[in-house]
């Protein structure tokens, strides 16, 4: 592909996303998430985004599991932070108690330190990280994805189209042609996923007469 062709694709092509790109948003900082959506809502980009139906379906199916996994990771880290704060508080107080009438440590600063530690511990205890997202409530990422891709999600393959995809998949497996053959060992419907998305992207491209990125 020539540099000119690549430049044209980047400037005018439609833009699609893999399921993991969307799911990974739940592990990113608020700043990163905001930057992602601001980019997609840019006037030069927002009309070009597309999402294959199969990608949207996989995102919804895997979303709750992903959120729960992230929630467990965050709670584990915060639990360790809470434990560390409690240990630090104990060490400082023991140091103060062992000093001669507090001569080596300022009592007022120790009290302020203890108050700050307690506030931090209470903050950790009060946070039920990502719980609302796991329950499908107050999930700003999910809502934002719905806004960005509204009316830009592909159509579900009908049974006839699926049978054609299945035939193509079998041929690709025999000839080791991607996408398709690498998913041979996947179970059930998942073995067809890559090729289904591929066919959806081709359909987007043909209907719009534009390249796909």
């Amino acid at each position: 592909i020539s540099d000119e062709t690549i430049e044209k694709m980047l400037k005018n092509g439609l833009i699609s996303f893999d399921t993991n790109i969307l799911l990974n948003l739940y592990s990113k900082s608020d700043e990163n998430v905001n930057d992602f959506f601001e980019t997609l809502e840019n006037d030069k980009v927002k009309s070009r985004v597309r999402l294959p139906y199969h990608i949207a379906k996989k995102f919804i199916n895997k979303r709750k599991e992903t959120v729960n996994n992230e929630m467990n990771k965050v709670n584990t880290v915060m639990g360790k932070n809470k434990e560390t704060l409690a240990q630090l508080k104990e060490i400082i107080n023991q140091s103060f108690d062992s000093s001669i009438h507090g001569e080596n440590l300022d009592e007022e600063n120790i009290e302020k330190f203890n108050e700050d530690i307690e506030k931090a511990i209470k903050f950790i205890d009060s946070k039920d990280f990502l719980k609302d997202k796991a329950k499908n409530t107050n999930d700003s990422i999910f809502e934002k994805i719905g806004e960005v891709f509204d009316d830009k999600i592909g159509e579900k393959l009908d049974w006839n189209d699926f049978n054609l995809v299945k035939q193509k998949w079998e041929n690709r497996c025999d000839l080791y042609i991607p996408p398709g053959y690498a998913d041979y060992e996947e179970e059930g419907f998942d073995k067809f996923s890559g090729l289904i998305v591929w066919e959806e992207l081709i359909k987007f491209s043909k209907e719009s007469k534009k390249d796909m990125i």
Side-chain angles (χ1 to χ4, degrees):
I1 301 177
S2 67
D3 291 343
E4 184 180 351
T5 299
I6 293 175
E7 184 177 350
K8 180 182 176 182
M9 290 173 63
L10 293 174
K11 185 177 181 179
N12 301 311
L14 299 180
I15 306 169
S16 185
F17 301 86
D18 181 75
T19 309
N20 289 330
I21 293 293
L22 303 181
L23 291 175
N24 284 343
L25 291 171
Y26 289 103
S27 65
K28 303 303 180 184
S29 67
D30 289 343
E31 182 180 0
N32 289 153
V33 172
N34 290 335
D35 287 344
F36 177 80
F37 285 119
E38 283 180 10
T39 299
L40 297 191
E41 291 177 319
N42 183 285
D43 289 338
K44 295 181 180 180
V45 176
K46 62 183 180 182
S47 64
R48 298 165 55 195
V49 298
R50 298 291 186 276
L51 194 66
Y53 174 88
H54 194 68
I55 294 293
K57 182 180 178 181
K58 285 181 69 177
F59 167 74
I60 291 173
N61 289 343
K62 292 187 175 184
R63 173 187 156 276
K64 188 172 183 179
E65 177 186 354
T66 299
V67 171
N68 285 332
N69 288 339
E70 289 301 319
M71 182 168 58
N72 290 335
K73 290 179 185 177
V74 172
N75 285 335
T76 297
V77 171
M78 295 307 288
K80 290 181 179 179
N81 288 344
K82 178 181 174 181
E83 182 180 345
T84 300
L85 287 171
Q87 291 173 347
L88 181 60
K89 177 183 176 182
E90 183 178 354
I91 291 171
I92 294 297
N93 282 303
Q94 285 178 351
S95 299
F96 176 73
D97 291 339
S98 65
S99 65
I100 302 174
H101 304 300
E103 183 178 339
N104 298 325
L105 291 170
D106 185 86
E107 184 173 0
E108 184 177 342
N109 287 337
I110 291 295
E111 290 180 358
K112 179 66 167 59
F113 173 81
N114 284 333
E115 289 176 4
D116 291 341
I117 291 290
E118 288 300 322
K119 286 180 181 179
I121 291 175
K122 286 181 180 179
F123 172 77
I124 293 172
D125 285 337
S126 70
K127 302 299 287 183
D128 201 350
F129 293 98
L130 300 176
K131 185 175 180 181
D132 288 337
K133 292 179 174 60
K135 289 185 174 181
N136 295 320
T137 59
N138 300 324
D139 184 350
S140 58
I141 291 176
F142 184 75
E143 292 173 359
K144 203 66 179 176
I145 288 173
E147 292 175 11
V148 169
F149 292 102
D150 185 36
D151 297 328
K152 295 170 184 175
I153 297 176
E155 297 179 358
K156 179 180 179 181
L157 289 180
D158 62 30
W159 188 247
N160 290 330
D161 287 336
F162 174 71
N163 283 332
L164 290 174
V165 169
K166 187 177 179 181
Q167 291 175 15
K168 290 182 180 180
W169 177 82
E170 291 172 349
N171 292 333
R172 285 173 176 267
C173 287
D174 291 338
L175 300 172
Y176 297 98
I177 300 175
Y181 86 90
D183 300 323
Y184 182 80
E185 294 184 356
E186 295 288 338
E187 296 183 0
F189 193 77
D190 285 343
K191 64 178 61 179
F192 308 113
S193 293
L195 188 54
I196 289 174
V197 172
W198 177 256
E199 292 293 326
E200 287 194 72
L201 294 176
I202 291 175
K203 185 176 181 181
F204 278 140
S205 183
K206 286 183 176 179
E207 289 178 348
S208 64
K209 295 182 173 58
K210 291 184 177 182
D211 296 308
M212 286 298 309
I213 301 173

